Amino acid sequence: MVIGMGLQDLNLPNKYFTPEQFRADFPALNRHCVYLDSAATALKPHAMIDATLAYYSENTATAQRSLHNAALQVTATIDNARQNVANLIHAQSSDEIIWTRGTTESFNLIAQSYARPLLQSGDEIIVSELEHHSNLLPWLIVAGQTGAKVIQWSSDVNELSLLMSAKTRIVAITQMSNVTGFCPNLEAISDIVHQHNAILVVDGAQGIVHHNVDVTALNIDFYAFSAHKLYGPTGLGILYGKRALFEQMSVWHGGGKMLKRTSFDGFIQEDLPYRFEAGTPNIAGIVGFNAILQWLERWDSNQAEHYTKQLADYAKSQLNKLTDIQFYSEDHSPIITFNINHIHHNDIAILLSEQNIAIRTGELCAQPLMNKLGCHGAIRLSLMPYNNQQDVDKFISELQNAIEILV
Ligand code: PMP
């Protein structure tokens, strides 16, 4: 028996979305906390918590190793989850899905296993200014190791055409900025990158939460995201890569189950995807995330996104009534980033926290973008379909109180 079924096997009613029913799935919302920090990590629904509890309380076993029943079940669940991830992002095969610890580890894996053996001194890696540090630092590190250069790019499509050259090997861009909510035109970017025989690396950590992605149709070479931002467990990431690229990459971590045979003379590496997954995987995380992938199938994501956008528009219209406010985020985005002139963003966070309101402030792991925006930090509220108007109203009224205290 597989713990959790394949998405295609579920006999599901038509998809639906009602904000009240969706919200009711999140036990953390009973704490009377207003949670507006979902771009840092999303709250978890019962479906994931129950599946994780069941793994630890009833079905604990290793995967891909032992032959007792519980272990075979867990192994089947992991294979099933891998297929469900492939379906979610429209990968051609589940062999193109690697489990990692998170988006950050996924990019480090590509930088060290794909880029490091390939890059020559003077080669170029084009990285957009929108990037989270996790899609910049791995490139800076590998550039230091190889003599390649990291080229700064505004994320504008026309500018990309000018920056591309025979030296360009890699272009790295986010699907959606975690600071501004901006979504670059991946289709146009992919065309330009491939016309120049470079590869396209996309950070899906924020984008996959709000948008569908088809890595095959978009001809994306590598795509990474983290389970925890998509309602799932912490410590679990996904790296999609085209089979041909994974096949040419050197292995990264060595250890159990990434090899077919070994002796003191060397080793023969395992087939894909296991050769990049040395050691016992995050079994509980994958079991929990598989439950999320099935749970997501119940909800009409278009309706959920529409609702979230309306809520964001409402929040922005209320914020717009404040004087001395400066916005950095896109209109209609579930991410709203701003500053109140002459007030430090962290002072606002502390006062709101005293009222049980969770927001994120600071550099949002995107220092180059913050510099470009001309600030050293900002206030970010990030909305999800489990938020409601009361959350926004409480936030606005406590923000007004905080401003009165701080001016
Ligand atoms: N990219 C973006 C856009 C993110 O928002 C984050 C997480 N805040 C990351 C990458 C890194 O994800 P993780 O810390 O889970 O590796």
Side-chain angles (χ1 to χ4, degrees):
M1 189 196 87
V2 176
I3 307 165
M5 293 170 282
L7 304 184
Q8 65 284 0
D9 303 330
L10 291 172
N11 189 14
L12 292 162
N14 285 338
K15 293 179 185 229
Y16 64 99
F17 173 78
T18 61
E20 297 77 20
Q21 278 176 299
F22 192 86
R23 188 178 168 93
D25 267 3
F26 292 83
L29 291 169
N30 299 334
R31 291 175 309 173
H32 305 294
C33 161
V34 173
Y35 192 76
L36 299 169
D37 194 18
S38 299
T41 198
L43 298 180
K44 319 302 172 199
H46 283 294
M48 189 209 106
I49 297 164
D50 294 349
T52 311
L53 185 67
Y55 169 70
Y56 280 127
S57 56
E58 294 159 32
N59 307 313
T60 308
T62 191
Q64 291 146 2
R65 287 155 172 78
S66 307
L67 293 178
H68 56 91
N69 270 344
L72 295 177
Q73 280 179 29
V74 164
T75 301
T77 301
I78 290 181
D79 290 344
N80 179 249
R82 205 189 293 275
Q83 184 58 53
N84 287 337
V85 170
N87 296 347
L88 178 76
I89 64 171
H90 302 276
Q92 280 176 346
S93 158
S94 63
D95 292 351
E96 296 176 316
I97 306 297
I98 310 284
W99 301 117
T100 65
R101 286 193 301 133
T103 307
T104 304
E105 189 175 74
S106 297
F107 288 134
N108 279 282
L109 197 170
I110 311 166
Q112 292 304 313
S113 284
Y114 173 78
R116 193 171 178 181
L118 169 99
L119 291 174
Q120 312 260 317
S121 180
D123 282 348
E124 293 180 353
I125 308 163
I126 297 179
V127 180
S128 103
E129 289 168 357
L130 298 175
E131 298 317 298
H132 186 279
H133 295 160
S134 65
N135 199 17
L136 171 62
L137 273 291
W139 306 121
L140 291 174
I141 291 169
V142 76
Q145 290 162 335
T146 59
K149 278 193 277 184
V150 172
I151 308 285
Q152 186 173 350
W153 163 43
S154 66
S155 81
D156 176 77
V157 175
N158 297 325
E159 195 201 345
L160 180 62
S161 298
L162 301 176
L163 290 176
M164 296 291 300
S165 76
K167 292 180 184 165
T168 311
R169 298 277 168 265
I170 297 164
V171 176
I173 179 83
T174 189
Q175 183 185 1
M176 179 177 184
S177 163
N178 66 311
V179 176
T180 64
F182 178 70
C183 296
N185 181 344
L186 291 182
E187 209 177 328
I189 291 167
S190 180
D191 284 348
I192 296 169
V193 170
H194 292 109
Q195 276 158 21
H196 290 80
N197 295 323
I199 64 137
L200 176 62
V201 176
V202 176
D203 175 356
Q206 189 62 53
I208 199 158
V209 181
H210 300 284
H211 302 285
N212 297 326
V213 67
D214 185 329
V215 292
T216 304
L218 285 167
N219 196 10
I220 292 172
D221 295 284
F222 291 109
Y223 181 86
F225 66 100
S226 299
H228 72 92
K229 291 195 34 149
L230 191 61
Y231 309 104
T234 54
L236 180 70
I238 285 86
L239 173 61
Y240 159 81
K242 283 182 186 163
R243 178 189 285 276
L245 297 178
F246 276 150
E247 292 284 5
Q248 79 183 61
M249 277 162 59
S250 55
V251 287
W252 189 36
H253 291 161
K257 291 291 164 187
M258 49 70 74
L259 61 119
K260 283 186 199 289
R261 299 220 50 81
T262 188
S263 69
F264 277 82
D265 295 328
F267 69 96
I268 300 168
Q269 60 190 22
E270 187 46 283
D271 294 332
L272 288 175
Y274 308 106
R275 75 174 63 142
F276 293 109
E277 295 179 351
T280 303
N282 178 355
I283 302 170
I286 299 171
V287 167
F289 193 50
N290 203 30
I292 287 295
L293 294 170
Q294 294 161 31
W295 171 85
L296 279 172
E297 280 290 299
R298 295 209 323 246
W299 306 103
D300 183 322
S301 59
N302 290 331
Q303 279 186 41
E305 212 35 47
H306 179 69
Y307 166 81
T308 313
K309 246 180 211 162
Q310 283 185 323
L311 198 58
D313 287 350
Y314 172 71
K316 187 135 188 213
S317 70
Q318 297 302 102
L319 283 168
N320 254 324
K321 294 179 187 163
L322 303 176
T323 48
D324 278 341
I325 187 163
Q326 187 174 356
F327 289 104
Y328 307 109
S329 48
E330 298 284 303
D331 282 343
H332 314 301
S333 169
I335 287 175
I336 304 178
T337 308
F338 63 95
N339 267 319
I340 307 288
N341 293 339
H342 314 301
I343 297 183
H344 197 281
H345 44 269
N346 285 344
D347 290 339
I348 299 266
I350 290 163
L351 290 180
L352 290 186
S353 171
E354 285 174 5
Q355 303 305 320
N356 256 335
I357 298 173
I359 53 160
R360 172 84 196 269
T361 54
E363 292 170 325
L364 311 180
C365 292
Q367 283 179 13
L369 180 56
M370 285 288 163
N371 287 340
K372 176 95 189 273
L373 296 171
C375 60
H376 299 294
I379 301 163
R380 178 183 72 188
L381 63 143
S382 40
L383 293 156
M384 288 286 254
Y386 49 64
N387 289 120
N388 62 19
Q389 193 180 324
Q390 285 92 307
D391 291 342
V392 174
D393 287 340
K394 173 108 196 299
F395 165 74
I396 298 285
S397 103
E398 294 301 342
L399 176 65
Q400 282 168 329
N401 290 341
I403 293 170
E404 266 174 40
I405 293 168
L406 294 167
V407 282

